[in-house]
Amino acid sequence: MTETHNPFALAGARVDVHTHVLHGVDGDGSRDMTMSLLLLSAAAADGTAVIIATPHVKQGTNAGPLRIRQGVESLNYAAAQYGIPVRVVPGTEVFYSYMLPEMYAAGDLLTLNDNGYMLIEFGFAPPLPPTLTETLRALQDAGVRPILAHVERYTAVQDNPDVLQPFLAMGAVAQINADALTGRPGIPPTPALRATAETLLRRGMVHLIGSDTHEMRTRPPLLRAAFEVATAIVGTDAVAQITENAWRVLRGDTVPPRQ
C-alpha cells in the first residue's frame, strides 16, 4: 500500500529517499536484520518518519520487485515488533542503461513507493552517458519521473555543475547525499564533494537530500545535520521546500523547480 499523505509534515519529519536498509537483496548495504533495525532506529531518532528502500538494481541481478517487496514487508514487521516508528516503502536505485525503458515496461523495475519516481545512478567518471537525454525522455513518455542520484559525486558535475541544467530543464530531479555536506563520522567531506553540493544548492539545482545509508559505522542514516548545514547555506524556505519535495516523491506529486 502506498503512502498518500504526510502525517508528520507539521512536526518537520523527513522522508529519506535514498537508502540501502534492506539486507540480503543486492549484496550491498545492511548485512542482516539486526543492522537494518539499527539503521531504522537511528533514522527515527534523527527525525526521519519514512524510509524509501532503494537497493541497487542492474541488468542481470536478482534484486527484482518481488524480492524487494518481501524484504520491505519483513523489515516493517520486525520494526513494528521492536516499536521503531519508521515506515519503510519499496523502491530501487537503478544503474543507468539505455535499456531502462524496456526494463521498466517489462516490470523489472520499481519506482519509489510505486508512485512514478525512479532513482537512477551512473558511473562516476566523465562523461555523463551520451544517451541520457534520449533515455530520460523515453522514461518520461512511459510515465516515469527520473531522479538523478547523488549528483555531486559525478566528476562531470564537479567539473561543471551546469552539465545538469539540460536534464533539470526537461523535468529530472536532482538528489545529493547528506554526507557531501557533513562528511562521514570522523571524516570531513572532501573539498570537491562539499564545494559541488554547495554550488548546486546555491544555484537552486538540488531538489532532494538523501542519506544513501549503507551501515551504521561510516554511512549512517542521518539527515538532520545535513539539513542544518543546507539551511545555513540557502535559508529556511529553500530547505523547507527540499523537505517537502521528499514527501511529494512519496505521494507521487510533482516536484517543482527550485528557485
Side-chain angles (χ1 to χ4, degrees):
M1 183 170 65
T2 60
E3 299 282 343
T4 59
H5 63 295
N6 177 356
F8 305 99
L10 294 179
R14 289 175 288 273
V15 177
D16 195 344
V17 299
H18 187 167
T19 75
H20 298 275
V21 296
L22 295 186
H23 67 281
V25 174
D26 62 351
D28 195 22
S30 175
R31 66 174 180 267
D32 53 33
M33 180 63 79
T34 298
M35 178 176 285
S36 294
L37 292 172
L38 287 172
L39 293 172
L40 264 57
S41 182
D46 194 58
T48 297
V50 181
I51 284 177
I52 304 179
T54 57
H56 293 288
V57 173
K58 299 181 182 181
Q59 284 181 289
T61 66
N62 59 357
L66 178 60
R67 192 169 185 183
I68 293 169
R69 293 186 195 282
Q70 289 173 338
V72 167
E73 184 178 0
S74 296
L75 185 52
N76 276 321
Y77 178 81
Q81 296 298 108
Y82 283 91
I84 302 172
V86 172
R87 176 71 178 166
V88 184
V89 300
T92 53
E93 181 184 14
V94 181
F95 193 82
Y96 177 80
S97 164
Y98 71 92
M99 294 292 293
L100 290 184
E102 288 80 1
M103 294 169 67
Y104 177 70
D108 295 333
L109 302 175
L110 289 176
T111 58
L112 306 189
N113 198 31
D114 298 316
N115 276 332
Y117 284 93
M118 183 181 292
L119 186 66
I120 302 170
E121 68 169 341
F122 22 87
F124 295 136
L128 298 180
T131 55
L132 185 56
T133 298
E134 177 185 353
T135 302
L136 295 184
R137 282 217 167 91
L139 286 170
Q140 289 175 317
D141 289 343
V144 173
R145 288 173 279 194
I147 300 174
L148 305 182
H150 43 54
V151 290
E152 80 286 353
R153 298 180 70 183
Y154 304 118
T155 304
V157 178
Q158 294 174 4
D159 292 342
N160 177 20
D162 285 334
V163 74
L164 288 177
Q165 290 286 14
F167 309 112
L168 303 187
M170 63 186 290
V173 173
Q175 177 254 318
I176 64 171
N177 282 358
D179 62 17
L181 298 174
T182 62
R184 298 180 181 180
I187 305 173
T190 68
L193 288 178
R194 177 65 185 255
T196 305
E198 282 199 28
T199 297
L200 294 172
L201 279 166
R202 293 184 191 281
R203 294 188 184 181
M205 297 167 68
V206 175
H207 304 89
L208 299 165
I209 300 175
S211 73
D212 196 4
T213 184
H214 280 61
E215 42 84 25
M216 282 298 302
R217 187 174 62 85
T218 62
R219 302 180 75 174
L222 305 181
L223 294 175
R224 185 192 304 273
F227 276 75
E228 291 172 352
V229 173
T231 299
I233 295 170
V234 293
T236 302
D237 290 345
V239 173
Q241 182 177 340
I242 291 172
T243 302
E244 176 58 23
N245 284 344
W247 288 102
R248 288 176 177 271
V249 167
L250 191 74
R251 298 190 301 261
D253 296 341
T254 299
V255 171
R258 277 278 321 280
Q259 299 300 316

